[in-house]
Amino acid sequence: MDIANSTAIERIARVLAGQRISANAEGDTLSAGQLIDARWQEHLNDALAVLKTLREPDEAMAEAGDPLIWEAMIRAALREHGE
């Protein structure tokens, strides 16, 4: 299994920034990498909201694995950001 080098919150914030900036999504910038690198932190509050929403797994997620482990992993990601 691959393990990410960046935090879950940073990765979510980068995806949200890319969605708004990149022409491959809803933005208008054709080569958005540098702009996303410069602006992903503007999306930290939205990223935190997404991660907080995921604290409780839905039925399909709970059936696929241990809900207590899932919750512990999400809470660890939130603690990493001081939540």
Side-chain angles (χ1 to χ4, degrees), residues 12-32:
I12 294 167
R14 285 180 174 278
V15 166
L16 295 172
Q19 181 184 26
R20 289 164 177 83
I21 294 169
S22 176
N24 291 327
E26 297 176 3
D28 56 9
T29 304
L30 294 177
S31 183

Side-chain angles (χ1 to χ4, degrees), residues 27-50:
D28 56 9
T29 304
L30 294 177
S31 183
Q34 288 182 335
L35 193 52
I36 291 167
D37 286 343
R39 297 183 54 194
W40 67 268
Q41 292 182 338
E42 296 171 15
H43 301 277
L44 282 173
N45 287 338
D46 290 337
L48 284 166
V50 168

Side-chain angles (χ1 to χ4, degrees), residues 1-81:
M1 170 190 275
D2 292 332
I3 306 259
N5 293 323
S6 57
T7 67
I9 292 170
E10 177 181 340
R11 293 192 316 276
I12 294 167
R14 285 180 174 278
V15 166
L16 295 172
Q19 181 184 26
R20 289 164 177 83
I21 294 169
S22 176
N24 291 327
E26 297 176 3
D28 56 9
T29 304
L30 294 177
S31 183
Q34 288 182 335
L35 193 52
I36 291 167
D37 286 343
R39 297 183 54 194
W40 67 268
Q41 292 182 338
E42 296 171 15
H43 301 277
L44 282 173
N45 287 338
D46 290 337
L48 284 166
V50 168
L51 201 54
K52 286 178 180 180
T53 299
L54 291 173
R55 284 182 288 201
E56 298 170 349
D58 61 25
E59 265 188 58
M61 295 164 70
E63 288 177 17
D66 185 335
L68 294 176
I69 292 174
W70 173 265
E71 183 180 0
M73 293 171 75
I74 297 297
R75 290 193 185 281
L78 290 168
R79 274 193 309 275
E80 201 169 31
H81 194 70

